[in-house]
Amino acid sequence: MLKLLPLIPLFPLISSVLLMVTVGKMPKRLVAILGAGSVGLSAVTTLLVGLAFMESGQPHHQVLWTWMQVGAFSPDIAFYLDGLTLVMMSVITGVGFLIHLFSTEFMEEDASYSRYFAYLNMFVFAMLVLVMADNLLLLYLGWEGVGVCSYLLVGFWYQNPDNGLAARKAFVVTRVGDTAMALGLFLLFTELGTLDIQPMAAAANSQWQVGDTLPVLACLLLLGGAVGKSAQLPLHTWLPDAMAGPTPVSALIHAATMVTAGVYLIARTHELFLLAPPAMLAVALVGLITSLMAASTALVQHDIKRILAYSTISQIGYMFLALGVGAWTAGIFHLVTHAFFKALLFLAAGAVIHCLHHEHNIFKMGGLRTRLPVVFWSFLIGSAALAALPLTSGFFSKDMILLQAYELPTFGPWLWAGGLLGALLTAIYSFRLVFVVFFGKTQMEPDKQPGSRMAVPLSLLCVLSLVGGFFALPLVPLESVFPVASDHHPSHLIEGISIAIPLIGLAIAYFIYLSGQLNIDGLVNSAPGQMLKKFWFSGWAMDWLYDRLWVRPYKGLAYILRGEWVDVIYNSIVKVCQQLFVGLSHTQTGRLRWYATSMVFGVIVVLALLLGVI
Amino acid sequence: MDGVSIPLDHVLLLASLLFICGLLGLMMRRNVIFILISLEVMLNASAVAFVAAGARWGQADGQVIFMLILAVAAAEVAVGLGLVIQIQRRFKSLDMDDADRLRG
Amino acid sequence: MLELILFYMASTIALVSTILALTRVNAAHALVYLILSLLAVAVVFYLIGAPFAAALEVVIYAGAIMVLFVFVIMMLNLGEKGDRREKQLLKPQIWITPVILAVLLLVELVLVLSQSAPAETQGLISSKEVGMALYGPYVLAVEIASMLLMAGLVGAYHLGRRYLEEGGGS
C-alpha cells in the first residue's frame, strides 16, 4: 500500500495537465468530474496509504529518480512519509476535495471553469510535493509551485487590473521571503553538505552545539521564508489583498493549506530550530505580535473576506507561537483544526457572497439567519471553533498552545498573556461577524439558495470543526515525529482563565453588536478612538509604511534613472558596433577583384607570421 | 633523361612565378573570361609544384595529384563557363564589376 | 646539360607566354598564348621525368579544356566592342596594389624555398607506376574525382540552359 504514495500527487497533476491541454474545450460536467474527482482519488489513496502507515508505524522513504547530479550534490525526486507528512496530506487532499466539490457549484457560471480547475489541481499537486518532499530542494520546488498557483488564482479574474495588482503583490512579497529561504538552503548545503531532511538533521546535531551562530542564522533565514509564505509580520501585507481571488481559492490556498506551509517548514526542520533558541524565540515573538496585530485589525474591517483574511493571519500567528515555544504538536494540531474551521468559514462566506450578488460589505448584510439556514449554522460553528468556545476543535488546539506557552521559562507567562488577549479579540471579532451578518434586520434578500454541492462540503466541514479536536485525534501520527512535551500541567486557575476568555469575548460581542446594551459609539467617536480605529483599519498602517519605505524610494530611484544614463554605456557599445558595421560593410564592394585582393593580403600576412617575419 | 638533375628549387620557383602571374591576373582583370584563365594558370602552377615534388622523391603520387587537379580544373571550367554564359545574358557584359549585388 | 638548357628555355617560354596571355585584350589571343604556356609546362614535366603528366597536360589541358574556352568565346561573339571596353579597364592605377601584393608574396615564397635544403629531381616515373598508384591507394580519390566531374557536368548543363534567362533567379 505504501508504494501507492507517488500516485497521490500524480492524480491532480494529470487532471491539471489534461485541463490545460484541452484549453476549455471540455464540457463543464466533465471538467467538474475531472477536477474534483482527481483530488477525491488522491484523498482515498491518502487514506489507504495512511492506514498502511499507521499499521507499520515506520517512516516510509521512496526514491523515484535522481533529479540532478552535480558533484556531491545529488538531490532525488523522493518522497518521505511520516506522521507529519500524513497529517498534512490528509488536510490537503481531504479539505482540498471538499473545497473542489464546493467550487464545482460556486464557479458554475464562470466562463473559465476549466482554467480554474486546472490551476486548483496544479496547486494541490505542488502543495503535495511540498509536504511529501524528502529533501529541501524538492520542498522548495513545491514551495515555488504553490506560489505560482497562488499568483494565478489571486489574479484569476484578470480583466480587473486591481486583481492583477493584488496577484503581483502576493507574488513579490512572498518572493522576499523565498529569497531568504533560498539563502538559508545555500547556507545549510555548504555547511552540512546535504539537503535531505533526515540526514541533514543528523549532521546538524553532530556538527553544531545548541546556540551556535550558524544554526541561528540558518533558522532565521528559513523563518524569513516561512514568514513570507505564511503572511506573518513583516511580510503579511499580501494576504488581505489576495482575497481578490475566488472565495474557494481563499479557503484552500489562503486559509487551509498554502499559508500554513511556513508552519510546516518550521515543524519539518524543528531539529535545526532546537539548536537555535534565539531563532525559536524570534518565531514565538513574530507569531504573538502578528496574531495581536491581525486580530485587532480584523475587529474593525467591514469586508467579510478581509476579516477572515486577518483572522487567518492571526491564527497562523498562534501556530508560530506554538512552534516558537517548542509545542510542535500543538502547532500542527492548530494547523489542522484551523484548516477545518477556516475553510468552513471561507466557504460559508463564499456561499453568502454567492447568494447576495457578490456583496462583500458585512454592514449591508443582516438577518440572514432565517434566509440561509445552512450557511448560518456553518458560519456559527466555524466562528465558535475560531473563537475557541469549549468543546469545539479550535478550543482544544488553542488551549494546548496557550498552556504550553505558559510552561516556557522566563517569557512563558508573557507569551501566555499576549495569547489570551489575542483570544479575546478573536472571540469578539468572530461573533461580531456572526451577529452583524446573520442577525439584525434584513437589508438584502438572497436571490438563490446554496445547492447540494455547496451544502454537503459545508456540513462535512461543520462536523470536522466540531469533533475534529476530540481526543486530539490528528495528533496520533505526530507522536513519532516530535519530541514529547512535558506532562506537567499548570494550575486549574490558568486553565480556567483560558476557557473563560473566549466566553467573555462572546459576551462582549453580544452586548455590543446584538443587544446594544453596551454602547461604544462614544468611545469610537472620540478623537483617540477614531485614530485607533483608523490605525487598526489600515492593518497597523503596514501598507502605508511599506509604501514610504520601499515603493516610493524605488519609484524615486526610477524617476532619477529615467534619463537612462545607466544605459548610456550599453547604447554607446551599440553605437560603436553600428559604426564598425557601417565601416566594414564598405569593404563588401561586391567586386570579385576586391575579394581576391583581400584574400591575397590575408595569405601574405599568414605566411609572414609563419615565417616569423612579422 | 637518365642522370638528369634539374634543381628542384628552380622548378618550384617556376611554379611560384606562374602562380603569382595567375594571381596578378585574378586581382587586376575585370573580364570574367580572364579571371577563369587566371584560375587555370594558378591551378596549373600548383600542379607543376606537385609533379616536381613527386619527381624529387621518385614517387608517382605527385602525378596522381596532378591528375586529380586536372579533374578539378575540368569541372571548374565547365561550371565557370556556364556561369560566364549566364553573366553575359544577364548583365550584357563580361565585366565582373557589374555583377556586384553582394555589395554591402 | 642539354636538359638544363631545355628546362630554362621552356620555363622562360611558359612565363612569358603566361604574362602575355594575361595582358591581352582579346580573349582569343590570350587563349593562344595560354596554350603555348601549357605546352611549355608539358615540356618541363617531360624534363623532370613525368612523361605521363606531360602527355595529359597536352591532351587534356591544352586540348580539351582550352577547346571549351574557345567554344564559349565563339558563342559570346564579343567582337570589336568588347576589345575597346577591355582597353579602358587596363588603366595603370589598378595595377599598383596587386603588383605590390604579388611582389610581397613572391618574396615570401622565395624565402620559403630558400629555407629548404637543395635537392634535385631524380629519374623517370613511368605511366605504369602512376597507374598502379592511381588504382591502388588512390582509388577512393579517383571515385571522388569522377563524382566531381559528374557534378560539374550537371552544373554546367543547368547553368547553360536558356530558361534561367527569363524566369529563374533574381
Side-chain angles (χ1 to χ4, degrees), chain A residues 113-180:
Chain A
Y113 199 60
S114 132
R115 183 165 62 95
Y116 173 81
F117 278 100
Y119 291 167
L120 213 56
N121 280 339
M122 187 53 86
F123 168 78
V124 172
F125 163 72
M127 191 71 204
L128 283 170
V129 168
L130 196 166
V131 297
M132 290 164 69
D134 153 73
N135 56 65
L136 285 179
L137 197 68
L138 188 59
L139 185 148
Y140 196 66
L141 179 77
W143 188 273
E144 294 296 334
V146 293
V148 169
C149 294
S150 161
Y151 167 79
L152 291 171
L153 284 163
V154 170
F156 182 73
W157 289 311
Y158 57 87
Q159 287 89 347
N160 183 351
D162 288 348
N163 294 345
L165 199 66
R168 277 205 296 284
K169 185 174 176 186
F171 202 66
V172 170
V173 174
T174 50
R175 200 65 42 236
V176 176
D178 292 354
T179 309

Side-chain angles (χ1 to χ4, degrees), chain A residues 177-328:
Chain A
D178 292 354
T179 309
M181 180 175 164
L183 291 177
L185 295 192
F186 299 155
L187 181 67
L188 284 173
F189 180 72
T190 47
E191 289 301 320
L192 299 175
T194 178
L195 284 177
D196 295 350
I197 293 163
Q198 309 305 324
M200 193 183 76
N205 274 322
S206 63
Q207 279 186 30
W208 289 334
Q209 298 296 314
V210 173
D212 279 358
T213 320
L214 277 175
V216 173
L217 190 58
C219 288
L220 286 178
L221 286 169
L222 289 183
L223 174 63
V227 156
K229 203 56 125 193
S230 293
Q232 298 294 290
L233 272 176
L235 298 176
H236 68 285
T237 53
W238 64 272
L239 189 59
D241 289 345
M243 294 300 128
T247 310
V249 168
S250 308
L252 179 61
I253 301 185
H254 306 117
T257 54
M258 185 189 84
V259 289
T260 58
V263 179
Y264 171 77
L265 176 70
I266 294 177
R268 181 46 89 196
T269 55
H270 68 275
E271 293 190 54
L272 292 177
F273 277 84
L274 283 174
L275 293 171
M280 296 267 285
L281 187 63
V283 174
L285 285 178
V286 163
L288 182 65
I289 297 172
T290 309
S291 71
L292 288 175
M293 183 276 299
S296 59
T297 308
L299 210 50
V300 293
Q301 301 293 320
H302 36 62
D303 180 324
I304 186 167
K305 286 185 73 180
R306 279 184 92 83
I307 297 174
L308 292 177
Y310 278 110
S311 155
T312 304
I313 298 176
S314 160
Q315 295 304 308
I316 296 170
Y318 273 108
M319 298 175 208
F320 271 63
L321 175 63
L323 299 173
V325 300
W328 314 106

Side-chain angles (χ1 to χ4, degrees), chain C residues 29-166:
Chain C
H29 296 172
L31 271 185
V32 175
Y33 280 115
L34 187 61
I35 291 172
L36 182 58
S37 158
L38 292 174
L39 289 176
V41 170
V43 171
V44 171
F45 282 167
Y46 184 77
L47 289 173
I48 61 175
F52 187 57
L56 285 180
E57 179 89 3
V58 174
V59 174
I60 298 181
Y61 241 128
I65 295 179
M66 287 307 129
V67 166
L68 266 180
F69 271 97
V70 174
F71 278 162
V72 169
I73 288 165
M74 281 162 64
M75 270 177 75
L76 295 177
N77 190 19
L78 296 173
E80 290 298 314
K81 198 184 82 197
D83 285 3
R84 258 183 278 116
R85 196 181 164 85
E86 277 297 308
K87 264 182 195 141
Q88 289 173 342
L89 300 182
L90 290 173
K91 280 179 185 162
Q93 62 259 40
I94 63 167
W95 286 71
I96 296 167
T97 324
V99 166
I100 293 171
L101 287 175
V103 168
L104 275 175
L105 190 59
L106 184 65
V107 168
E108 285 181 342
L109 284 176
V110 170
L111 264 174
V112 172
L113 290 178
S114 66
Q115 279 176 353
S116 59
E120 292 179 339
T121 56
Q122 19 173 294
L124 180 84
I125 297 160
S126 68
S127 52
K128 186 184 173 189
E129 276 177 82
V130 177
M132 297 290 281
L134 204 55
Y135 290 99
Y138 285 101
V139 68
L140 184 65
V142 172
E143 289 301 322
I144 292 173
S146 68
M147 281 167 70
L148 178 71
L149 286 170
M150 183 69 181
L153 180 68
V154 174
Y157 173 70
H158 175 71
L159 285 171
R161 287 175 70 173
R162 247 177 199 288
Y163 75 86
L164 278 178
E165 189 182 1
E166 289 92 26

